[in-house]
Amino acid sequence: MNKQNLPDKRYTFNVKKVVKENFKTSTIITDGKLESKPGQFVMVWIPGINQKPYSIGDNEPFSITAVEFGPFSSLLNQMKKGDKLTVTGPLGRGFDYKEVKKPVLVGGGCGIVPLYFLAKKLKNPAVIMGSKTKNEIMCRARFERLGIKPVITTDDGSEGTRGFVTAALENILEKKGADIVYSCGPAPMMRAVAKICDKSGVDYQLSLETHMKCGIGICGSCTLGDKVVCRDGPVFPKNEIKKIKEFWTG
Amino acid sequence: MADVSTELAGIRFKSPTILASGILGTSKKVLERVCSKGAGGITTKSITIEPRKGHNSPIVVDFGGGMLNAVGYANPGIEKALEEFDGWEMENPLIFSITAKDCGEYEKIAGMISKIKVSAVEIALSCPHTPGYGLLAGQGDPASTFEITKSVKKKINVPLIVKLSPSVPAIGEVAKSAEKGGADAVNMGNTAGPGMVIDLERKRPFLDFKFGGMSGPAVLPLAVRCVYDVYKAVKIPVIGTGGVTYGKDALQMIMAGASAVGIGTAVYYRGIESFSLIEKEMKEWMESNGYKKIKELVGVAHE
């Protein structure tokens, strides 16, 4: 646990724009700035409903991206210009990207969101984004505006390469090489990514997701092994990932 | 080197810092880590018969002088918890905390704990933010405290710690009831209040449950006074819990009469390292003031 984040800072932003990413996903862009690092997250509060963790999609203007899968994310998807967005944060440990030369970013589903914020800080990162199907792809245009052409994979082959991100990653590692892989997405995907990196001797950092309730390392609902994910992570380096047995066994 | 080891109801603690119930306490591996980082002992989250989801988030907020929480006893239920904490091998004592709605339920859950090895059982009669339990069920008054303590005591074969609220009148009388009911120690105490934080921008109480228990530096003087009162009222040992963040806070508790201190909100401020930091700060003070053992300081404020 680190104590550099004594964060309980709460901000209320005005929603400036809502971008429809796909049929069930919206990016909520606010009118403000949130001093934060890629990989950190915020707890988003909808008064009277609940409070849930969301990756920081961008710091200036501050944005989050929400995929609709329950009542809370559905409300976020209904947000419109002029609404208020209240968040506590930034929370947790983000990605470490000092002196990185050849990074590869691998995002699965909405795991791509924090990787866009990271991509903004890196020089020419290779980006792989995996989705189930064409109409679930998100954030692609944002990467293109940075001059990055993401490698797209879909499980059903409806767009880009058919299959998982893993084949695309092996391909990049083989052809261009990398000094580090950053990944965020479903646990089985990240396990596969970590295994490929281990085999190729490439360093990696993963952003883990567990069920967070307090976001500040107190309630214990997000533990994985002996880690308190919201405060020790959510980003973990290779040497720590190696020791989390529960990550590898799922 | 000053000796900060302590003894409480026959249980030895290498350090007087005990992880308070409710903080990080549902995972054995995390609690082992807390011990390896210096906690003298640990307390599990309070366990109920059935699993509980607890309140919706926000369940906790930093109000400036401390924290306000309304977790609502989120826990996996007694069966899962017994599985999780079975085979505790650390030498640091494991205190198993339980909570229930009435004597019958308390007896039932207490009777199940003997399946695993624990150093003590703690009952929380003092939660200020969960309907049906603790203060909101009237468990904090002297009569209920006596009845529940007696019920649990006959069902367990390890020491019983009764955790009291700092927000009730005549706390000494409540502590006496616990002692009379058979408690082996008193944990003084739970979070204070309840209190409320209102978000100015949204003009609403911030916690989903609207109100919650206060902890952290703001409640230290309240907790120290309660420990002082309880120490005067009973002969059984006292754990002082509430606002202990630094070694000097722990020493105030000890001087008021505590034999050990509970640590909770400090974990938010100083991380899991809180335990070793507080212990180090206590030792430094003791050495520069010529004290060799914690025992020499317990209750000295009463002299």
Side-chain angles (χ1 to χ4, degrees):
Chain A
M1 270 200 184
N2 49 54
K3 56 172 181 180
Q4 55 259 48
N5 298 306
L6 269 194
D8 222 329
K9 288 191 185 123
R10 197 157 69 247
Y11 304 96
T12 295
F13 297 97
N14 292 309
V15 175
K16 204 170 114 194
K17 195 174 158 190
V18 177
V19 177
K20 198 91 182 135
E21 298 283 351
N22 62 42
F23 73 100
K24 57 169 184 177
T25 309
S26 300
T27 293
I28 298 157
I29 301 169
T30 69
D31 63 349
K33 177 182 173 182
L34 185 71
E35 289 286 353
S36 53
K37 276 180 72 176
Q40 288 190 297
F41 67 100
V42 291
M43 295 298 289
V44 177
W45 177 46
I46 304 181
I49 305 291
N50 213 328
Q51 179 184 242
K52 304 259 184 187
Y54 279 86
S55 287
I56 296 170
D58 204 345
N59 63 333
E60 192 179 8
F62 168 67
S63 79
I64 58 162
T65 298
V67 180
E68 188 174 335
F69 66 94
F72 189 89
S73 48
S74 168
L75 285 171
L76 289 180
N77 269 274
Q78 288 160 28
M79 278 201 159
K80 50 192 191 309
K81 187 180 173 181
D83 285 347
K84 285 179 172 174
L85 184 73
T86 303
V87 305
T88 297
L91 300 164
R93 173 173 67 176
F95 293 105
D96 181 4
Y97 49 89
K98 266 184 299 200
E99 293 165 26
V100 166
K101 289 186 188 73
K102 275 175 93 176
V104 180
L105 279 47
V106 183
C110 57
I112 196 67
V113 173
L115 297 180
Y116 165 76
F117 185 14
L118 177 63
K120 278 178 74 179
K121 308 275 183 184
L122 300 171
K123 249 188 227 156
N124 304 318
V127 177
I128 304 167
M129 28 196 301
S131 308
K132 283 200 189 98
T133 178
K134 181 181 178 175
N135 64 5
E136 293 190 13
I137 293 171
M138 64 181 84
C139 305
R140 184 186 194 165
R142 251 188 273 177
F143 282 99
E144 287 170 353
R145 281 197 296 275
L146 292 179
I148 297 165
K149 200 169 178 305
V151 175
I152 307 279
T153 69
T154 50
D155 298 0
D156 62 0
S158 52
E159 175 92 25
T161 318
R162 182 191 178 115
F164 299 129
V165 293
T166 41
L169 175 61
E170 281 174 311
N171 190 34
I172 288 181
L173 293 182
E174 196 180 305
K175 289 193 175 137
K176 299 181 192 159
D179 58 354
I180 187 161
V181 172
Y182 298 99
S183 185
C184 182
M189 182 203 89
M190 287 199 289
R191 272 197 291 280
V193 165
K195 280 179 189 161
I196 290 168
C197 293
D198 282 334
K199 216 170 80 189
S200 323
V202 176
D203 193 12
Y204 53 87
Q205 289 175 22
L206 308 179
S207 177
L208 303 188
E209 192 178 355
T210 52
H211 178 66
M212 294 173 188
K213 258 188 111 169
C214 77
I216 55 173
I218 286 295
C219 77
S221 67
C222 68
T223 59
L224 189 68
D226 73 345
K227 298 295 183 197
V228 180
V229 173
C230 73
R231 186 138 166 197
D232 295 323
V235 175
F236 292 90
K238 179 177 176 172
N239 63 333
E240 291 180 27
I241 292 279
K242 290 279 204 187
K243 289 184 215 150
I244 309 176
K245 210 173 82 195
E246 290 75 4
F247 169 76
W248 297 98
T249 54
Chain B
M1 209 41 168
D3 176 11
V4 291
S5 69
T6 189
E7 196 184 311
L8 200 103
I11 310 162
R12 299 274 313 157
F13 294 86
K14 273 197 301 190
S15 158
T17 57
I18 301 173
L19 176 73
S21 181
I23 310 289
L24 298 173
T26 48
S27 150
K28 187 175 166 191
K29 280 198 173 177
V30 171
L31 294 187
E32 286 170 350
R33 176 176 163 203
V34 170
C35 290
S36 72
K37 291 283 183 186
I42 54 97
T43 317
T44 67
K45 216 161 194 266
S46 294
I47 305 298
T48 49
I49 296 234
E50 298 296 331
R52 282 180 58 92
K53 195 174 143 278
H55 298 314
N56 273 352
S57 190
I59 52 173
V60 55
V61 61
D62 175 342
F63 65 82
M67 283 188 345
L68 190 72
N69 91 78
V71 173
Y73 283 138
N75 81 90
I78 184 69
E79 278 179 29
K80 278 250 170 69
L82 290 173
E83 262 171 54
E84 177 72 19
F85 295 109
D86 191 15
W88 179 258
E89 280 166 8
M90 310 283 292
E91 58 175 322
N92 315 52
L94 169 79
I95 300 166
F96 198 94
S97 177
I98 55 170
T99 192
K101 290 188 165 159
D102 51 44
C103 282
E105 212 179 271
Y106 260 114
E107 280 184 30
K108 190 174 164 201
I109 191 167
M112 295 168 81
I113 302 172
S114 57
K115 290 178 191 159
I116 68 167
K117 195 189 127 223
V118 302
S119 293
V121 170
E122 182 171 282
I123 52 174
L125 306 182
S126 40
C127 174
H129 56 71
T130 310
Y133 295 88
L135 291 194
L136 301 191
Q139 294 174 352
D141 67 42
S144 305
T145 299
F146 172 74
E147 290 300 332
I148 296 171
T149 305
K150 209 173 75 178
S151 303
V152 172
K153 179 66 184 176
K154 66 182 184 205
K155 290 284 180 187
I156 59 174
N157 47 22
V158 291
L160 174 61
I161 302 165
V162 179
K163 188 168 181 176
L164 305 180
S165 166
S167 300
V168 296
I171 188 65
E173 292 309 306
V174 184
K176 274 183 190 160
S177 303
E179 185 176 46
K180 210 168 85 192
D184 299 282
V186 166
N187 186 346
M188 185 69 251
N190 212 311
T191 52
M196 183 181 276
V197 166
I198 291 174
D199 183 274
L200 295 185
E201 299 284 340
R202 310 303 292 264
K203 305 172 188 72
R204 289 258 204 146
F206 182 65
L207 292 184
D208 196 71
F209 191 61
K210 299 188 172 64
F211 58 88
M214 293 164 63
S215 62
V219 308
L220 178 71
L222 173 63
V224 170
R225 190 271 299 162
C226 287
V227 168
Y228 189 91
D229 282 353
V230 168
Y231 181 79
K232 254 195 319 204
V234 297
K235 294 195 173 64
I236 51 177
V238 183
I239 303 171
T241 307
V244 174
T245 315
Y246 298 97
K248 60 182 171 54
D249 307 336
L251 287 160
Q252 284 197 58
M253 287 290 202
I254 304 280
M255 289 183 190
S259 299
V261 293
I263 307 287
T265 303
V267 174
Y268 165 65
Y269 291 105
R270 307 178 84 187
I272 291 180
E273 292 72 22
S274 300
F275 300 91
S276 55
L277 291 170
I278 290 168
E279 182 186 326
K280 184 173 147 265
E281 290 154 3
M282 290 175 80
K283 282 179 174 169
E284 283 167 2
W285 186 91
M286 286 168 68
E287 270 153 36
S288 56
N289 288 276
Y291 290 93
K292 291 197 174 61
K293 286 184 179 304
I294 281 283
K295 222 178 164 178
E296 300 165 41
L297 287 163
V298 174
V300 293
H302 294 264
E303 285 163 13

